[in-house]
Amino acid sequence: MHVGVLRPQTNTFRTVLDLSGLWEFRLDPDDAGAAEGWADGIPDGRLIAVPGSWNEQIAGARDALGPAWYETSFELPRAWPARTFVRFGSADYLAEVFLNGERLGEHEGGQLPFTFDLGPNLRPGLNRLVVRVDRRLFPDRVPPGGLPPSPEYGYEREFNPRTSFDFFPYAGLQRAVQIYGVPEGGLDRIAVATALAGRGAVVSASVEHGGDALRLRLGDVVSDGEELRLAEARLWSPADPHLEPLVVELERGGEIVDRYLLPIGLRSVEVEGDRLLLNGQPLRLRGFGRHEDFPVSGRGVPNAVTVSDLELLRWTGANSFRTAHYPHAEEALDLADRYGLLVIAETPAVGLFFYEPGLERRQEIALCLLEELIERDRNRPSVIAWSVANEPASAQPGAGQALRELLERARTLDPSRPATFASITPDDPVLEHCDVVALNRYFGWYELPGRIEEAASRLAADLDAIHERHHKPILLTEMGADAIPGTHADPAEMWSEEYQAALLDELLRVAEERPFVCGAHVWTLCDFKTAQAEHRPAGLNFKGVFTRDRHPKLAAWHLRERWKS
Ligand code: BDP
């Protein structure tokens, strides 16, 4: 398997064939498919849309977590580049891939792309691609699951299916599957670093390739080699999200043999004392934690939903979001780059706990997924920080070492961005290892339910104490209240739209009054599906300020009023 090869694009040297459409599909609840030879073709399949989760497409399959098998076939056109790969945008959770009956390999972890070289197994004419996807919940997976609720496992609520996280474990091929062709010895990996220098900027591209000379172009500026200097730089920022089309060209024997177009943004992110700076100016993030979730398509949200979500986010006046609790579709980040939205990019490591079973393996996978995320998103100006985990059980013995390892790995792989994790642990001992302190706080909901004023004072005291101790910028990564759409109460009462709006008003005021709070994210943009639990009416988390079908609740209007004016 290849990680980190370039996202496919079509140009004179490269070609993409998108396999989105209807595939053959069959659930395999007895896990008998491998022994019965389904890798060579699925008997008695039915049709399913790819991309998309299988849980709501297939009647009765809501809680089926696999394994399940997918099959399609494709034929390459005559004019096709020398080397051929398949790329899966996201297979949740474990995918085993077969081409014409030959096993190409497997990939573990949802929401991150992976590729296989099809070379030796390709045939003229039709090629059959079969994928086995397994989304069962086990303690040694990331995120973990399959355990009874217990403080040791970091989760005390009973869900069915047994997730140790608060979102539905949608399964399947949830993003595009693409066949793509690239030239022999072409560009393989591009990692761009930008540094501002006076009025100008230096763009350095670290490139893996099989050619003998490299050329970078940015508009009229051309440079041979891996570095390009701009005398005047127009910076990327939320106010002016200016993207520069960096063209990387590869030469061999005096001829251009490959080319890649990468839109980049010139900007800097730094932590200075208790401030988070973008291009030297203090940032105040306002926005949301966002899930990828929609009826029927599940976690495989169509691009139309991605566009609409980011439109809604901008409608409220937000300037940022966190990709909770896993990497979001590349199209979401394309939009963020274009619109100047600031992104905290999170790995799939939600619900980490630091006891057996599965301890060592979870850590290995978490490190691996972090690496894959950074590889995928490192060239994006919108991404301003890495979140290596959400709500790990950071008070447990061993947590400090494991989380430090994740944070340090992020900084080693990418020294240009702060690293953090979203913490729920009171007096979290690991915060000192984060560049920015990120806090999830549920005052006024799980703690101090129904008590808006006390919730605001508690938040104020908590923020001041943490600032006093750590002297770092603090980002509130989550706060909120469930509001069942259409539920009203005066005086405001839990579960009503009034309560959600009033609580957010108060908590945001507390955050805004503190200059060391570099931002606040409301949990969450839209209502989303969860596994079944006594605290999740209708199998939904209602903390969205928009409904699951994307209509504004009262809180959305309040936020718009606050953030737009
Ligand atoms: C936080 C989690 C988030 C949940 C939220 C909630 O980070 O995934 O959805 O609580 O309970 O603790 O609504």
Side-chain angles (χ1 to χ4, degrees):
M1 193 198 55
H2 248 72
V3 175
V5 286
L6 293 168
R7 181 181 182 189
Q9 61 180 227
T10 295
N11 62 27
T12 313
F13 306 95
R14 304 176 153 248
T15 311
V16 186
L17 186 72
D18 193 322
L19 298 185
S20 298
L22 298 180
W23 291 41
E24 295 287 327
F25 177 79
R26 188 162 163 187
L27 288 168
D28 181 15
D30 302 324
D31 201 4
E36 287 175 14
W38 295 8
D40 292 321
I42 309 172
D44 306 320
R46 59 214 291 183
L47 293 177
I48 192 167
V50 171
S53 304
W54 72 56
N55 310 75
E56 289 173 36
Q57 290 191 60
I58 302 298
R62 187 193 61 209
D63 295 340
L65 299 181
W69 295 71
Y70 287 81
E71 176 186 334
T72 193
S73 45
F74 64 91
E75 185 170 331
L76 296 183
R78 184 171 303 167
W80 186 262
R83 300 193 61 194
T84 306
F85 293 81
V86 62
R87 184 191 205 243
F88 293 82
S90 160
D92 203 350
Y93 170 84
L94 183 69
E96 217 180 330
V97 181
F98 305 85
L99 183 71
N100 300 322
E102 292 296 321
R103 187 177 185 278
L104 301 180
E106 64 178 36
H107 178 266
E108 179 159 3
Q111 293 95 28
L112 283 161
F114 54 95
T115 67
F116 294 104
D117 188 343
L118 298 187
N121 300 300
L122 267 177
R123 289 191 193 141
L126 270 191
N127 286 273
R128 180 188 289 138
L129 184 66
V130 172
V131 191
R132 175 185 181 273
V133 181
D134 179 352
R135 211 269 175 259
R136 286 175 292 177
L137 296 161
F138 293 118
D140 64 350
R141 294 186 165 182
V142 176
L147 290 164
S150 127
E152 271 195 14
Y153 305 147
Y155 218 84
E156 297 180 43
R157 303 271 197 171
E158 173 92 44
F159 278 114
N160 181 21
R162 265 194 175 150
T163 55
S164 59
F165 45 86
D166 185 34
F167 52 91
F168 194 81
Y170 280 115
L173 299 180
Q174 302 183 141
R175 293 189 191 139
V177 181
Q178 298 164 309
I179 304 292
Y180 67 99
V182 296
E184 190 64 56
L187 298 161
D188 209 13
R189 181 177 174 271
I190 304 176
V192 174
T194 59
L196 310 184
R199 296 167 60 84
V202 182
V203 177
S204 328
S206 149
V207 184
E208 280 171 22
H209 60 81
D212 47 38
L214 204 65
R215 181 166 309 139
L216 304 182
R217 281 175 201 282
L218 243 183
D220 297 338
V221 187
V222 182
S223 154
D224 289 324
E226 295 202 337
E227 199 177 278
L228 185 141
R229 288 177 175 272
L230 297 171
E232 292 278 333
R234 179 168 159 198
L235 301 190
W236 182 98
S237 71
D240 180 18
H242 174 70
L243 292 173
E244 300 274 2
L246 176 69
V247 177
V248 182
E249 279 174 351
L250 187 66
E251 277 188 14
R252 204 163 36 240
E255 247 185 76
I256 300 183
V257 292
D258 197 5
R259 178 187 305 133
Y260 198 82
L261 170 66
L262 189 67
I264 61 166
L266 306 172
R267 57 115 187 90
S268 68
V269 182
E270 289 148 298
V271 174
E272 213 177 80
D274 58 10
R275 299 289 193 278
L276 175 64
L277 307 178
L278 182 84
N279 301 332
Q281 299 300 316
L283 269 180
R284 295 296 283 236
L285 305 181
R286 25 174 224 277
F288 302 89
R290 171 182 177 252
H291 262 298
E292 291 192 321
D293 168 275
F294 202 64
V296 182
S297 58
R299 185 128 302 115
V301 297
N303 285 338
V305 173
T306 305
V307 170
S308 141
D309 276 6
L310 297 204
E311 288 284 324
L312 295 179
L313 196 128
R314 285 172 4 119
W315 177 91
T316 65
N319 65 4
S320 58
F321 65 98
R322 177 171 59 120
T323 69
H325 293 308
Y326 38 78
H328 285 194
E330 287 160 295
E331 289 80 4
L333 295 163
D334 292 341
L335 288 155
D337 285 344
R338 245 315 262 290
Y339 292 149
L341 295 169
L342 304 165
V343 176
I344 314 290
E346 188 158 275
T347 73
V350 46
L352 289 184
F353 63 97
F354 303 93
Y355 288 113
E356 296 294 347
L359 181 59
E360 200 178 315
R361 192 149 190 283
R362 271 195 308 279
Q363 179 72 1
E364 257 170 45
I365 299 166
L367 283 163
C368 183
L369 297 178
L370 172 65
E371 193 165 331
E372 292 180 22
L373 166 66
I374 294 180
E375 194 53 49
R376 193 194 74 163
D377 290 347
R378 62 182 311 141
N379 294 328
R380 299 204 173 258
S382 56
V383 174
I384 56 161
W386 304 113
S387 166
V388 305
N390 182 70
E391 300 190 354
S394 42
Q396 295 181 346
Q401 198 193 332
L403 292 169
R404 245 175 24 235
E405 189 182 20
L406 289 167
L407 291 162
E408 275 159 22
R409 183 67 58 89
R411 288 188 278 254
T412 310
L413 294 169
D414 176 17
S416 77
R417 290 177 177 91
T420 189
F421 65 89
S423 163
I424 188 87
T425 305
D427 299 321
D428 192 327
V430 196
L431 293 185
E432 61 173 303
H433 303 291
C434 296
D435 300 316
V436 171
V437 167
L439 305 175
N440 294 356
R441 289 295 184 264
Y442 282 94
F443 303 129
W445 192 256
Y446 299 115
E447 273 179 70
L448 300 171
R451 298 170 195 276
I452 294 181
E453 269 177 42
E454 285 167 59
S457 331
R458 176 76 79 80
L459 179 66
D462 191 30
L463 291 171
D464 292 341
I466 291 176
H467 177 243
E468 186 65 23
R469 199 168 328 133
H470 296 287
H471 291 285
K472 292 183 182 184
I474 300 181
L475 174 63
L476 269 167
T477 27
E478 286 186 30
M479 72 186 90
D482 290 73
I484 297 192
T487 303
H488 296 284
D490 178 25
E493 168 176 304
M494 291 177 80
W495 300 95
S496 69
E497 295 198 24
E498 285 77 8
Y499 187 86
Q500 181 189 41
L503 180 68
L504 289 175
D505 281 343
E506 278 305 289
L507 300 179
L508 288 170
R509 179 186 56 75
V510 167
E512 283 162 11
E513 284 167 2
R514 289 166 168 72
F516 57 82
V517 175
C518 64
H521 281 171
V522 170
W523 188 255
T524 173
L525 184 67
C526 302
D527 294 343
F528 61 91
K529 186 161 177 61
T530 66
Q532 299 174 67
E534 123 282 333
H535 64 309
R536 292 289 172 256
L540 293 180
N541 183 312
F542 282 107
K543 294 193 186 67
V545 304
F546 292 91
T547 60
R548 198 173 186 220
D549 55 357
R550 274 59 180 168
H551 298 302
K553 301 183 194 171
L554 182 60
W557 293 101
H558 279 226
L559 293 178
R560 182 173 156 89
E561 174 87 26
R562 170 178 288 280
W563 289 340
K564 277 263 177 176
S565 50

